[in-house]
């Protein structure tokens, strides 16, 4: 089918956008009836065992085609009116997640933390910050999630701790050369030990006092990097993993999974401007050191002792071969690739990243995502909500697993916040504004207090409650897409093959199945490929063509 599909595209006939909306999206209520109540069944049939991918006879672990929903806890739902989301808030909204149709939730860090990097600065990895609740609340959440047919993934941060972690506090009160300091990277000298920059800007080295040693922090000064050459550091991570697995979590998301190991001698970063030997291929010495794979083997050896537990890594490595090394059989089960997330809304570039991601993942399920708490939201990044909706259908048609970010299903845009309320050292506040659930501002059902970041009035038009009632809403689109993905027999096949498509468009089919996804990223309507339309991201034209900035599923 490669390259010969343009005639087929032109031959197709489909109904109008209105018919489509009526016939496939249906009303929120119908969807609700068809999906609610399935949680218990799901829990019984799959929570403790393997699932079978539609159409496959090979038993596959649950994560192979799961849709996972990232809950950025502080922005999800606030139960106690302090303006910050919490675990009880998440528990109160599990019915919504079941209704949406996701398989699992990934909780952003909820551990005790000063909050310099909003939880990614962990001061105790085996407890819950009072801001979010208690360990009992966590256990209750896991139990409730089970009842709703949802699995739970927690975020693990092995690269660094908070500067308020007892280890770091002990380190700064101890002498240079002490075992306490050997858990981190301390170095003496009048100037920083090398030229490394932190991800948030500025040198990656700080001192607690001018006369003291320097310590390494690849993120903020409040996030000192751990020394992974120290066996104590590994033992502590293993203890943390066992702690959460024993509490019943189904998986872990490994933060900065390409970090941890540091190259011998901490050599200068030669990619910095001013160096004479500058080349695109000059490696960044801060990341992807060979010894990092030892860490992933250690993580895997713990998880392998618990049935059906999964580790997914945030692996940011440019070279696909090096990236794939994190997915060797004794390392991570899954890894984010981020090609789709960082691709512009351009058919050629999207096709390249889709092929590249699938090729890099090989036999391991690919992980697709178009949104997370670190990047501008799709409706903003792609330039319009129409495009974001189209990209949702592209992502959810691809073989593998998909990760959604809370609010993506409402089509929320980023918020242009005034400097006075911004708090993130990485400047990512705009995509972290709390969820608008229902009713009037300023809290829109997120909080009865003052939200930690203000929700704009425009979020009042995008509440979950209103969108549930509207068959044309972005929430209804996601619900219908997830329902189809789960129940329609066309969603099978691990590879994609491409149709020829008009300039600026792409169309692919899941190999071994009838599902076709067509995206029009050009500026004018194009004919659809042949097949019955299952779902479109927006109305078709009066003559049944696919408008610009729209995607369709056909089978
Ligand atoms: C990851 C997280 C990001 C955090 C950083 C440091 O990239 O996604 O939010 O700032 O790690 O922990």
């Amino acid at each position: 089918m490669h390259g010969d599909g343009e005639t087929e595209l032109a031959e197709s006939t489909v109904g109008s956008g209105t018919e489509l909306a009526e016939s496939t999206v249906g009303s929120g209520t119908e969807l609700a009836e068809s999906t609610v109540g399935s949680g218990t069944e799901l829990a019984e049939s799959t929570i403790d065992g393997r699932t079978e991918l539609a159409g496959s006879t090979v038993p596959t672990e649950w994560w192979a085609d799961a849709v996972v929903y990232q809950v950025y806890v502080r922005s999800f739902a606030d139960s106690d009116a302090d303006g910050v989301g919490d675990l009880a808030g998440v528990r109160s909204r599990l019915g919504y997640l079941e209704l949406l149709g996701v398989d699992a939730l990934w909780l952003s860090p909820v551990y005790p933390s000063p909050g310099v990097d909003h939880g990614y600065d962990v001061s105790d990895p085996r407890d819950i910050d009072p801001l979010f609740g208690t360990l009992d609340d966590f256990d209750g959440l896991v139990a409730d999630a089970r009842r709703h047919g949802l699995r739970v993934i927690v975020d693990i941060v092995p690269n660094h701790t908070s500067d308020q972690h007892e280890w770091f506090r002990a380190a700064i009160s101890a002498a240079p050369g002490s075992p306490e300091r050997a858990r981190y990277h301390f170095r003496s000298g009048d100037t920083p030990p090398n030229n490394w920059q932190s991800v948030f800007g500025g040198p990656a080295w700080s001192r607690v006092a001018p006369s003291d040693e320097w310590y390494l922090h690849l993120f903020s000064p409040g996030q000192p990097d751990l020394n992974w050459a120290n066996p104590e550091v590994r033992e502590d991570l293993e203890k943390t993993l066992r702690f959460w697995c024993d509490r019943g979590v189904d998986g872990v998301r490994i933060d900065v999974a390409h970090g941890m190991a540091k190259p011998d001698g901490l050599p200068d970063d030669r990619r910095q401007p001013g160096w004479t030997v500058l080349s695109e291929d000059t490696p960044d010495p801060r990341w992807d050191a060979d010894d990092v794979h030892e860490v992933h083997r250690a993580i895997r050896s713990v998880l392998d002792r618990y049935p059906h537990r999964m580790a997914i890594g945030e692996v940011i490595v440019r070279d696909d071969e090096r990236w794939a090394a994190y997915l060797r059989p004794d390392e991570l089960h899954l890894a984010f690739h981020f090609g789709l997330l960082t691709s512009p809304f351009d058919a050629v570039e999207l096709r390249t990243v889709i092929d590249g991601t699938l090729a890099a993942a090989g036999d391991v399920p690919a992980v697709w995502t178009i949104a997370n708490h670190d990047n501008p939201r799709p409706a903003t990044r792609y330039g319009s909500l129409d495009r974001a909706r189209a990209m949702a259908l592209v992502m959810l048609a691809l073989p593998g697993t998909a990760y959604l970010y809370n609010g993506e299903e409402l089509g929320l845009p980023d918020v242009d916040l005034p400097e006075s309320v911004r708090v993130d050292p990485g400047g990512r506040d705009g995509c972290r504004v709390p969820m608008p659930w229902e009713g009037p501002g300023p809290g829109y059902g997120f909080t009865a207090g003052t939200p930690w970041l203000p929700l704009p009035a425009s979020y009042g038009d995008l509440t979950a409650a209103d969108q549930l009632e509207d068959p044309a809403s972005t929430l209804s689109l996601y619900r219908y897409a997830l329902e189809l993905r789960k129940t329609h027999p066309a969603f099978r096949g691990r590879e994609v093959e491409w149709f020829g498509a008009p300039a600026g468009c792409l169309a692919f089919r899941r190999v071994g199945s009838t599902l076709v996804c067509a995206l029009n990223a050009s500026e004018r309507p194009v004919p659809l490929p042949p097949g019955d339309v299952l779902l479109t991201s927006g109305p078709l034209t009066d003559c049944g063509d696919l408008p610009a900035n729209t995607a369709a599923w056909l089978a």
Side-chain angles (χ1 to χ4, degrees):
M1 221 173 263
H2 279 270
D4 63 356
E6 286 198 31
T7 355
E8 287 171 50
L9 280 172
E11 279 165 11
S12 72
T13 50
V14 275
S16 73
T18 327
E19 275 168 28
L20 179 78
E22 280 162 11
S23 65
T24 61
V25 171
S27 76
T29 326
E30 278 167 45
L31 267 175
E33 279 163 10
S34 68
T35 54
V36 164
S38 61
T40 326
E41 283 163 44
L42 180 74
E44 280 165 8
S45 65
T46 63
I47 284 281
D48 292 323
R50 292 169 173 232
T51 58
E52 283 194 6
L53 281 179
S56 161
T57 49
V58 184
T60 306
E61 287 285 9
W62 65 268
W63 54 81
D65 64 347
V67 175
V68 179
Y69 185 95
Q70 180 188 357
V71 176
Y72 194 68
V73 178
R74 63 171 43 237
S75 297
F76 193 64
D78 172 22
S79 72
D80 58 6
D82 66 355
V84 177
D86 47 45
L87 292 176
V90 180
R91 281 177 85 174
S92 74
R93 298 288 182 181
L94 290 172
Y96 169 83
L97 296 183
E98 183 181 356
L99 200 70
L100 175 59
V102 297
D103 302 296
L105 51 135
W106 146 30
L107 296 172
S108 55
V110 283
Y111 319 115
S113 163
V116 171
D117 189 12
H118 296 107
Y120 286 96
D121 47 325
V122 179
S123 43
D124 180 352
R126 296 183 286 275
D127 202 353
I128 300 291
D129 195 302
L131 190 62
F132 300 123
T134 62
L135 280 169
D136 281 348
D137 291 329
F138 182 87
D139 294 342
L141 169 57
V142 172
D144 284 357
R146 287 260 176 292
R147 281 192 279 278
H148 286 275
L150 297 164
R151 295 181 170 85
V152 178
I153 296 172
V154 291
D155 217 319
I156 300 288
V157 189
N159 182 68
H160 43 265
T161 68
S162 160
D163 61 355
Q164 298 306 307
H165 189 290
E166 63 173 318
W167 277 5
F168 194 74
R169 291 158 69 106
I172 58 174
S173 341
S178 60
E180 287 82 359
R181 290 205 168 193
R183 293 168 178 145
Y184 295 90
H185 298 278
F186 278 90
R187 296 287 185 280
S188 57
D190 295 333
T191 53
N194 65 25
N195 69 349
W196 292 6
Q197 296 292 295
S198 90
V199 171
F200 296 145
W205 296 92
S206 292
R207 295 188 281 205
V208 287
S211 57
D212 206 339
E213 290 185 309
W214 301 90
Y215 68 91
L216 176 67
H217 54 86
L218 290 180
F219 293 88
S220 76
Q223 293 164 291
D225 278 52
L226 285 161
N227 173 15
W228 273 89
N230 185 333
E232 241 190 301
V233 171
R234 175 192 300 195
E235 282 154 24
D236 194 68
L237 177 71
E238 291 174 352
K239 195 167 158 191
T240 299
L241 292 168
R242 286 194 298 272
F243 181 88
W244 294 108
C245 285
D246 287 340
R247 296 196 104 87
V249 305
D250 301 284
V252 290
R253 178 254 187 198
I254 305 295
D255 189 63
V256 197
H258 50 291
M260 283 90 87
K262 306 293 185 282
D264 285 345
L266 304 176
D268 270 331
D269 183 351
R270 297 187 163 268
R271 299 168 320 120
Q272 300 298 319
W275 287 88
T276 46
V277 200
L278 272 184
S279 125
E280 259 290 287
D281 293 328
T282 305
D284 182 337
R286 299 172 301 171
W287 315 115
D288 190 35
D290 289 338
D291 287 350
V292 73
H293 296 285
E294 291 295 321
V295 182
H296 291 296
R297 282 190 270 274
I299 293 172
R300 182 62 176 261
S301 69
V302 175
L303 294 190
D304 278 350
R305 277 179 242 137
Y306 296 83
H308 315 302
R309 310 300 163 103
M310 173 276 280
I312 177 168
E314 180 197 33
V315 180
I316 304 178
V317 172
R318 198 159 55 90
D319 180 86
D320 275 346
E321 218 170 293
R322 291 196 67 91
W323 177 86
Y326 290 76
L327 292 168
R328 286 178 288 201
D330 57 351
E331 299 193 37
L332 292 163
H333 298 88
L334 297 173
F336 286 103
H337 187 280
F338 298 124
L340 198 64
L341 178 79
T342 51
S343 171
F345 189 75
D346 174 274
V348 173
E349 299 214 30
L350 287 166
R351 179 172 166 165
T352 304
V353 299
I354 291 168
D355 279 341
T357 306
L358 287 168
D363 292 339
V364 171
V367 180
W368 305 105
T369 191
I370 57 170
N372 64 26
H373 64 296
D374 291 331
N375 290 280
R377 286 185 174 278
T380 300
R381 207 178 59 245
Y382 295 125
S384 74
L385 178 58
D386 287 348
R387 289 179 171 188
R389 290 169 58 119
M391 284 303 299
L393 291 201
V394 171
M395 168 176 67
L396 293 169
L398 289 166
T401 167
Y403 279 64
L404 314 181
Y405 171 51
N406 60 203
E408 169 187 342
E409 79 282 13
L410 302 179
L412 298 182
D414 263 36
V415 182
D416 193 10
L417 293 162
E419 213 44 57
S420 55
V421 301
R422 291 183 161 269
V423 282
D424 177 43
R428 299 156 294 184
D429 309 82
C431 68
R432 298 176 174 183
V433 171
M435 291 274 287
W437 289 101
E438 69 241 335
Y444 296 107
F446 163 72
T447 181
T450 305
W452 72 282
L453 285 175
L455 289 80
S458 60
Y459 272 30
D461 299 329
L462 294 169
T463 63
D466 285 354
Q467 293 203 35
L468 276 176
E469 299 301 320
D470 175 4
S473 71
T474 304
L475 178 55
S476 293
L477 176 73
Y478 269 83
R479 291 178 65 201
Y480 201 78
L482 295 181
E483 175 92 1
L484 279 172
R485 188 183 149 103
K486 197 171 285 176
T487 56
H488 198 287
F491 287 79
R492 70 177 75 156
R494 304 241 170 153
E495 291 163 44
V496 301
E497 61 184 351
W498 298 93
F499 286 85
C505 300
L506 55 81
F508 61 85
R509 189 168 76 89
R510 298 261 291 247
V511 177
S513 133
T514 52
L515 181 76
V516 172
C517 177
L519 168 74
N520 183 355
S522 78
E523 283 169 6
R524 56 189 80 82
V526 295
L528 279 169
D532 294 331
V533 173
L534 297 178
L535 185 63
T536 65
S537 64
L540 299 178
T541 65
D542 287 346
C543 57
D545 283 348
L546 186 66
N549 303 322
T550 309
W553 285 356
L554 305 99

